[in-house]
């Protein structure tokens, strides 16, 4: 097991000439895309307007903006506490957004990194957010990586949390979560307790179930509970969430600062992926935080310190 490291570790120098190699052993397997996916240079007709919260420390945070993207099945509410802390520590406004098909943002049948990046890029332009730091966890991490590689001018730097720029199968937990959520909806439950009992065989850990069940809403007092996220749409998108739209670091590279934060008990950013990260992001730094995949919620203080150190060092 890797030990937690809260000191930034520059790793780019030794990886610039390293070949890209597939993963092996118990790590997530490489998967071949079913078809080639285009990644356009500008926002398209599929763009969704994104819901968001602003945390600016009571108006005292006036520096360059930080935009925070959640992971699959999450929402801007998951990042409320860390956003308030970072706004206070860095005196920079934090924009916590809901990606499409999540939280209060609109639903759309297309859900892949092309359109997620389109949506977020349109959000930056709509709100005139310049020189922003983009922070993303898991699904959000791949989204900001894709944005940075497509158009490096879209941001000042990125912080990618527990994901890497590779095509790799999602952990088997995610399909089980989807199946459990489907069964909750089919049962038309009236209480959170009933929903939790149905979901338990598919998500053994109570914190994970509590996280998933934050998506339950009720349309009226007499209505059954339902998930506000389109469960079936996201189920069909799991392969796309494992994918990454860039494969050649000779054609797409982000030469600005990048921080990669990984959980010590997570397999999403293995040592084998570090050469790949270094070729796409030659100025990247790495921090290990004692946590599993849900780094921000499992160890918010470790994550906060890593982010503050990285951003203050760059000033």
């Amino acid at each position: 097991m890797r030990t937690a490291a809260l000191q930034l570790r520059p790793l780019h120098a030794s990886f610039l000439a390293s070949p890209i190699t597939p993963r092996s052993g118990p790590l997530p397997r490489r998967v071949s895309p079913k078809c080639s996916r285009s990644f356009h240079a500008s926002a398209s007709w599929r763009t969704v307007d994104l819901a968001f919260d602003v945390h600016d420390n009571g108006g005292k945070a006036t520096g360059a903006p930080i935009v925070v993207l959640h992971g699959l099945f999450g929402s801007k509410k998951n990042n409320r506490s860390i956003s308030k802390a970072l706004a206070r520590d860095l005196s920079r406004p934090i924009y916590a957004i809901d990606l499409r098909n999540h939280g209060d943002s609109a639903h759309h049948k297309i859900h892949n990194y092309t359109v997620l990046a389109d949506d977020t890029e349109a959000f930056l332009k709509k709100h005139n957010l310049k020189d922003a730091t983009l922070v993303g966890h898991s699904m959000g991490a791949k989204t900001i990586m894709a944005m940075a590689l497509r158009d490096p001018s879209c941001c000042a730097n990125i912080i990618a949390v527990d994901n890497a720029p590779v095509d790799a199968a999602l952990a088997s937990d995610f399909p089980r979560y989807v199946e459990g959520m489907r069964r909750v909806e089919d049962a038309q439950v009236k209480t959170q307790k009933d929903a939790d009992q149905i979901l338990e065989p598919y998500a053994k850990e109570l914190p994970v179930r509590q996280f998933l069940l934050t998506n339950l809403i009720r349309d009226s007092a007499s209505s059954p509970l339902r998930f506000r996220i389109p469960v079936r749409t996201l189920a069909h998108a799991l392969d796309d969430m494992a994918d990454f739209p860039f494969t050649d670091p000779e054609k797409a590279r982000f030469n600005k600062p990048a921080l990669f934060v990984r959980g010590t008990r997570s397999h999403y950013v293995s040592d084998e992926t570090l050469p790949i990260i270094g070729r796409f992001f030659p100025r990247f730094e790495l921090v290990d935080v004692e946590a599993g995949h849900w780094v921000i919620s499992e160890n918010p203080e470790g994550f906060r310190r890593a982010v503050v150190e990285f951003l203050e060092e760059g000033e």
Side-chain angles (χ1 to χ4, degrees), residues 183-199:
R183 290 187 179 273
V184 169
E185 284 196 324
D186 291 343
Q188 295 192 314
V189 297
K190 294 294 183 70
T191 69
Q192 286 264 351
K193 181 179 179 180
D194 290 342
D196 183 70
Q197 289 177 343
I198 294 172
L199 190 58

Side-chain angles (χ1 to χ4, degrees), residues 149-302:
L149 292 173
R150 176 171 70 175
D151 179 14
S153 70
C154 76
C155 61
N157 44 47
I158 68 167
I159 299 174
V161 186
D162 216 55
N163 218 335
V166 296
D167 296 348
L170 294 178
S172 59
D173 295 340
F174 284 93
R176 289 204 305 271
Y177 298 160
V178 167
E179 178 62 23
M181 288 188 285
R182 280 178 165 175
R183 290 187 179 273
V184 169
E185 284 196 324
D186 291 343
Q188 295 192 314
V189 297
K190 294 294 183 70
T191 69
Q192 286 264 351
K193 181 179 179 180
D194 290 342
D196 183 70
Q197 289 177 343
I198 294 172
L199 190 58
E200 185 173 6
Y202 304 92
K204 298 293 186 182
E205 302 87 357
L206 178 59
V208 173
R209 296 201 304 277
Q210 290 173 332
F211 164 72
L212 296 173
L213 294 175
T214 60
N215 287 293
L216 280 178
I217 59 173
R218 195 191 308 273
D219 294 321
S220 67
S222 59
S223 299
L225 291 167
R226 67 174 179 84
F227 286 99
R228 63 180 174 177
I229 57 175
V231 175
R232 284 162 176 78
T233 296
L234 294 176
H236 290 305
L238 290 180
D239 284 345
D240 287 310
M241 294 297 92
D243 198 3
F244 189 67
F246 291 94
T247 58
D248 188 353
E250 299 303 319
K251 295 180 179 179
R253 187 170 291 168
F254 185 70
N255 290 308
K256 296 179 181 180
L259 174 65
F260 281 71
V261 181
R262 63 181 179 179
T264 56
R265 299 189 302 275
S266 173
H267 59 230
Y268 277 90
V269 186
S270 67
D271 289 343
E272 286 82 357
T273 65
L274 298 183
I276 305 172
I277 294 171
R279 292 187 65 191
F280 279 120
F281 301 93
R283 294 180 62 188
F284 90 102
E285 298 177 87
L286 179 71
V287 166
D288 286 348
V289 171
E290 185 61 35
H293 180 58
W294 312 96
V295 177
I296 300 174
S297 60
E298 292 182 47
N299 192 344
E301 176 57 19

Side-chain angles (χ1 to χ4, degrees), residues 54-218:
V54 179
H55 305 279
D56 60 4
N57 195 26
K60 298 176 183 178
T62 57
I66 298 174
V67 180
V68 182
L69 284 64
H70 58 79
L72 189 61
F73 307 138
S75 75
K76 61 183 183 294
K77 292 182 179 180
N78 303 140
N79 295 313
R80 181 177 294 162
S81 296
I82 194 66
S83 295
K84 290 180 178 180
L86 292 174
R88 178 198 66 228
D89 292 345
L90 296 166
S91 194
R92 296 175 60 175
I94 314 295
Y95 291 75
I97 67 177
D98 281 336
L99 295 169
R100 65 167 58 197
N101 294 317
H102 291 77
D104 297 321
S105 290
H107 297 177
H108 196 289
K109 64 181 180 180
I110 300 174
H111 193 91
N112 57 45
Y113 291 116
T114 300
V115 295
L116 292 174
D118 281 349
D119 293 344
T120 310
E121 189 175 82
F123 178 86
L124 295 176
K125 292 178 179 177
K126 177 179 179 179
H127 298 279
N128 196 30
L129 302 182
K130 301 183 183 300
D131 298 319
T133 293
L134 303 181
V135 182
H137 169 250
S138 195
M139 175 180 73
K142 278 192 172 180
T143 299
I144 65 171
M145 283 187 268
M147 292 174 63
L149 292 173
R150 176 171 70 175
D151 179 14
S153 70
C154 76
C155 61
N157 44 47
I158 68 167
I159 299 174
V161 186
D162 216 55
N163 218 335
V166 296
D167 296 348
L170 294 178
S172 59
D173 295 340
F174 284 93
R176 289 204 305 271
Y177 298 160
V178 167
E179 178 62 23
M181 288 188 285
R182 280 178 165 175
R183 290 187 179 273
V184 169
E185 284 196 324
D186 291 343
Q188 295 192 314
V189 297
K190 294 294 183 70
T191 69
Q192 286 264 351
K193 181 179 179 180
D194 290 342
D196 183 70
Q197 289 177 343
I198 294 172
L199 190 58
E200 185 173 6
Y202 304 92
K204 298 293 186 182
E205 302 87 357
L206 178 59
V208 173
R209 296 201 304 277
Q210 290 173 332
F211 164 72
L212 296 173
L213 294 175
T214 60
N215 287 293
L216 280 178
I217 59 173
R218 195 191 308 273

